[in-house]
Amino acid sequence: MLTRRFPSLSATLAGAALFCVAMSVQAREYSVSTVLSADFPWGQAAEKWAELVEERSDGRITLRVYPNSQLVSGDQTREFSAMRQGLIDMAVGSTINWSPQVPELNLFSLPFLMPDTEAVDAITGGQAGEMVFDAIESRGVMPLAWGENGFRELSNSKLPIDSPDDLDGLKIRVVGSPLFQDTFTALGANPTQMSWADAKPALTTGAVDGQENPLSVFDVARIDQVGQKYLTLWHYMNDPLIFAVNQRVWQQLPEEDRELLRQAAIDAGQWEIEMSRAQKDERLEAIKSRGVEVIELDEAQRQAFIDATQSVYETWTPEIGQALVEAAKQAVESR
């Protein structure tokens, strides 16, 4: 009887071992980079993506979110390169931060191209959006879905700004993109490039007079506490977010998992966009309640800024691509 039981036990153990190996092969964990933490809508978008993937894969796929540009030592402009090289598996990234490697992404930084959220949606949801995704894919990264960092507004410590003349000589902190340098130079300001980690100390000491960021960043990061008393709602550009995957990782995934990741990204992006837009009025009231003077431009005032920045289009349209810029303009006009 014993001789009959031992083979049975061996078969059972062998089967269990094979089951464990199969489970370990199926269970996967991937890194997801993002610049901001879950205190901000940007970080919440990444966390939502991870949550949906975990839920829909029954725990078989885990997305581990690394906020604050941890995986690139705080240098957010290196995120796309790191993902392309496979040092990062996935990311929820900014068109601004990825534009040094994907020039077409500078489309969204063209000043005053998108007057409202309907214009943003018309671009991302149409031919121009498809062209941008094609450009990203051609550089070794698979884009899956759009999110939103929001319109970037202008704050400063000196005066209410409602015309280009008000910017004359002001030192404005800008991100590491030559297009931003050109935009603020055209407006008569003195653009100063620095990382966000360096920006708040510089604003505190007065080394720079102002900065530009979405309302969510102004609100959550309490930029009013570093002397930013004036906030101009000029909607000069919108920074969409992009959910993306390293192409080699993508190619190794079975089709079922690709579809799961893509749909989860689409759903997380739509959730984050709706949430961000719904919070706008509440954030604005919170900012006003802290003593910040908010300036809203009328059409004539906004047109003055548009006229002052036309040279940026002349310089950057060839870099971005004439066909792409025209597709975006057409989408805005026909929205």
Side-chain angles (χ1 to χ4, degrees):
M1 177 158 307
L2 288 174
T3 58
R4 286 195 297 271
R5 287 179 178 176
F6 282 123
S8 176
L9 178 59
S10 298
T12 301
L13 291 173
L18 287 172
F19 176 77
C20 290
V21 170
M23 289 300 291
S24 65
V25 169
Q26 289 181 352
R28 303 183 184 94
E29 179 173 311
Y30 300 100
S31 60
V32 179
S33 175
T34 188
V35 169
L36 295 179
S37 71
D39 291 332
F40 301 84
W42 187 341
Q44 291 163 18
E47 293 288 353
K48 186 68 173 180
W49 189 22
E51 175 191 319
L52 292 176
V53 169
E54 180 93 8
E55 175 187 306
R56 295 175 185 180
S57 69
D58 294 322
R60 187 170 49 81
I61 303 175
T62 298
L63 305 188
R64 186 76 60 197
V65 179
Y66 293 86
N68 302 316
S69 305
Q70 293 177 49
L71 300 179
V72 285
S73 303
D75 185 354
Q76 57 210 57
T77 61
R78 288 178 48 219
E79 185 177 67
F80 187 88
S81 295
M83 181 167 44
R84 180 171 55 193
Q85 294 164 6
L87 303 176
I88 294 171
D89 297 321
M90 307 179 188
V92 179
S94 155
T95 59
I96 298 171
N97 293 334
W98 294 0
S99 63
Q101 292 79 40
V102 187
E104 291 85 351
L105 290 175
N106 285 297
L107 172 74
F108 298 98
S109 297
L110 287 173
F112 307 102
L113 172 65
M114 298 164 284
D116 49 38
T117 54
E118 289 78 11
V120 178
D121 294 343
I123 291 175
T124 57
Q127 181 188 6
E130 292 174 4
M131 293 169 73
V132 168
F133 270 24
D134 287 345
I136 294 171
E137 186 176 352
S138 72
R139 290 170 175 85
V141 169
M142 178 59 66
L144 304 183
W146 297 98
E148 186 167 274
N149 196 25
F151 282 103
R152 297 177 76 90
E153 315 293 9
L154 177 67
S155 73
N156 83 101
S157 60
K158 299 294 186 182
L159 77 167
I161 293 174
D162 60 19
S163 76
D165 291 343
D166 296 328
L167 276 161
D168 186 35
L170 286 187
K171 293 173 288 185
I172 305 295
R173 176 265 173 180
V174 296
V175 298
S177 165
L179 195 156
F180 283 70
Q181 296 273 349
D182 289 349
T183 296
F184 280 89
T185 298
L187 291 168
N190 178 11
T192 305
Q193 179 183 321
M194 62 179 64
S195 71
W196 183 240
D198 295 329
K200 288 192 75 174
L203 291 166
T204 301
T205 62
V208 292
D209 301 311
Q211 61 84 53
E212 46 77 54
N213 255 308
L215 286 180
S216 60
V217 174
F218 191 100
D219 182 26
V220 177
R222 292 303 304 271
I223 299 179
D224 55 284
Q225 292 183 335
V226 291
Q228 298 296 283
K229 299 184 293 184
Y230 305 99
L231 176 64
T232 298
L233 304 183
W234 65 343
H235 286 22
Y236 90 113
M237 64 151 294
N238 187 292
D239 179 27
L241 303 176
I242 299 172
F243 294 71
V245 182
N246 166 272
Q247 210 164 69
R248 288 188 295 276
V249 169
W250 183 254
Q251 291 169 349
Q252 291 167 3
L253 290 169
E255 186 60 36
E256 177 185 1
D257 288 349
R258 292 183 191 179
E259 181 54 32
L260 188 154
L261 278 168
R262 188 194 304 275
Q263 191 58 52
I266 291 170
D267 293 343
Q270 191 58 41
W271 171 85
E272 186 264 343
I273 290 170
E274 292 174 0
M275 176 190 67
S276 298
R277 293 177 183 179
Q279 291 175 345
K280 177 191 170 185
D281 290 343
E282 181 180 345
R283 289 195 187 281
L284 201 51
E285 288 307 312
I287 290 167
K288 289 178 179 178
S289 73
R290 297 198 289 265
V292 176
E293 182 177 339
V294 175
I295 300 93
E296 300 193 48
L297 304 181
D298 59 30
E299 284 302 316
Q301 290 170 327
R302 192 170 189 276
Q303 188 61 47
F305 285 99
I306 294 172
D307 294 341
T309 52
Q310 284 309 294
S311 61
V312 180
Y313 283 79
E314 296 167 9
T315 301
W316 282 90
T317 294
E319 176 81 8
I320 296 165
Q322 183 73 41
L324 176 55
V325 173
E326 289 304 319
K329 287 181 176 179
Q330 185 174 354
V332 172
E333 291 170 2
S334 61
R335 71 191 188 282

